[in-house]
Each structure stands twice: as structure tokens, then as C-alpha cells.
Amino acid sequence: MGTEFSNEVIEKAYARWAPFYDFVFGALFSRARRAAAEAAERVGGRVLEVGVGTGISFPDYSRSTRLVGVDLSEPMLRKAQEKIAELGLNNVEGLSVMDAEHMAFPDNSFDVIVAQLVVTTVPNPEGTLDEFMRVLKPGGEIVLVSRVGADKGPRRVIEQWLTPLTRFLGWRLEFPWTRYERWVEGRDAVRVIERRSMPPFGHFSLIRFGKVKTSAAPDQRLEAHAAG
Ligand SMILES: C[S@@+](CC[C@H](N)C(=O)[O-])C[C@H]1O[C@@H](n2cnc3c(N)ncnc32)[C@H](O)[C@@H]1O
């Protein structure tokens, strides 16, 4: 078993998980999922949930929140489609098979991007976060639920050692906070709004990034100039 992450490996992993994903991961992450939905709804507007999987988070949102879901795994999305039909979720505007790193949406399409347990599964986490920023409107938020691995010490060594196994299961254990910090440092438009520890085991976090509104729109600049 190698340590290289690829979409092919991940697709196979989640095709295996799809039939019993909710049973295994439902209650375990319910508090974190609720916190993510609450954070998204505080921003309001149109929400894109990336790596939406079986749609396990859908019931956490209010029926008035407009949701779009994408995922790499067709078997996981089929479960999400069943959930929409069973629960009559007409606030879900659409589901599509899409790679999180190369989405088909125009720039600035969504008010919030939610990605729960996804950043540590993709081959290129930083490139994927950049793609979230591209489709996010200025003033919007990225809301993540994610495992944050140790920066150093024995826990980091164990996490690295277990990577070949967890890659087969479909995620990374090792993903230190410094990786997020480095990503933020290299990007003027991103700021960290919040990092809050979440169960299980306190190894997970709710992480919120904001997309800074940059210079004023051209018409606002003209108005300011005229007034001054
Ligand atoms: C651990 S599951 C999380 C599912 C759900 N968000 C939750 O809260 O339980 C990871 C999900 O991310 C999806 N995924 C992994 N890599 C992806 C990629 N490159 N693009 C889109 N989805 C991806 C998987 O197919 C899977 O449904």
C-alpha cells in the first residue's frame, strides 16, 4: 500500500463505503456537522457543499437554505439522491459528480462553501482550497470540518506511519494545522475567522476562512473620488 493520494483510489474507497457510510459516520460527527450548518446559515445565501457524499448533512440545514452538492463518488451521490426523495428536500437545487479541485462553476458563485471531512481526502488539498476560493463570492466563507493532525512528536509519527492504511480507507490522518497556516499566508484574500475543536477525540476542528472583499468596485471608487 502506497501513500500517494489519487482520485482513483478515493473513488474506489467511497464506492466501498457508500452502502454503510451513514451507519458508521452518522452519530460520530453529528455535533460537528450541526456546527458547520449553523456557521453556513449565519452567512446565509447559496451554499455549496463539496464532498457532500450521501447527503448526511442535509437534515442539519433549514429547509429554506439553498444547497448545491458535489462529490467525486457516484455511489455516494446516489445515496444523497435517495435522501432528497425520502425527506422531500426541495431546498437542494442540484447534485453533480465533480472533482473538488476542478469544479464547473463560474467564479464567485456561492456565498458559502462547506466541506466536511473532505480536505484530508483530496490529492491536492491546497489546490482544492484555492478552487473553493475561486467559486466563493467575496465576503463569503469557507466552512470546514476537518481532522487536524499533530505538528510534531509521537502522534505525528504514528499518523504518518498509518497513512498507507488510512489512504485505503479514503483519508489522511496526518494533516497538521501548519499546512493551513502556510496556505493562508500565501493568499492575500484569505483570513482565518475561527478554529474550534470538535468531537470525536478533539482531533477534529470546525475551521472558517473568509474571502476578503478587495478594492472597492469601480463605480464605488468613482463615487468616492467625486465626493472627495
Ligand atoms: C469522509 S467523506 C465525507 C462525506 C460528508 N461530507 C460527511 O460529512 O460525512 C469524504 C467525501 O469526499 C468525497 N471526495 C473525495 N475526494 C473528492 C474530490 N476530489 N472531489 C469531490 N469529492 C471528493 C468522497 O467521495 C466522499 O464522499
Side-chain angles (χ1 to χ4, degrees), residues 82-164:
E82 285 170 19
K83 214 165 266 132
I84 291 171
E86 272 164 29
L87 303 176
L89 300 173
N90 48 18
N91 58 315
V92 182
E93 292 181 354
L95 292 178
S96 310
V97 175
M98 234 181 249
D99 178 359
E101 196 184 342
H102 306 282
M103 292 190 279
F105 304 112
D107 297 357
N108 311 326
S109 294
F110 297 94
D111 299 279
V112 190
I113 315 295
V114 178
Q116 311 199 50
L117 311 175
V118 173
V119 170
T120 58
T121 70
V122 296
N124 178 6
E126 288 80 3
T128 301
L129 289 167
D130 285 339
E131 181 67 349
F132 293 177
M133 284 293 285
R134 183 186 71 76
V135 300
L136 180 65
K137 291 180 188 171
E141 282 190 24
I142 295 173
V143 178
L144 307 178
V145 170
S146 211
R147 187 170 193 288
V148 179
D151 277 309
K152 52 185 184 319
R155 180 150 84 87
R156 173 137 180 87
V157 175
I158 293 167
E159 287 171 356
Q160 286 174 324
W161 183 70
L162 286 174
T163 296

Side-chain angles (χ1 to χ4, degrees), residues 6-7 10-11 14-15 17 21-22 25-26 29 33 49-57 70-74 76-77 97-103 114-123 128 145 169-171:
S6 71
N7 283 349
I10 294 301
E11 272 186 76
Y14 287 97
W17 276 120
Y21 185 88
D22 287 14
F25 297 104
F29 292 99
R33 285 197 193 93
E49 187 145 338
V50 183
V52 69
T54 60
I56 195 165
S57 62
V70 298
D71 201 286
L72 197 60
S73 166
E74 239 182 284
M76 293 287 274
L77 281 185
V97 175
M98 234 181 249
D99 178 359
E101 196 184 342
H102 306 282
M103 292 190 279
V114 178
Q116 311 199 50
L117 311 175
V118 173
V119 170
T120 58
T121 70
V122 296
T128 301
V145 170
L169 295 173
W171 56 82

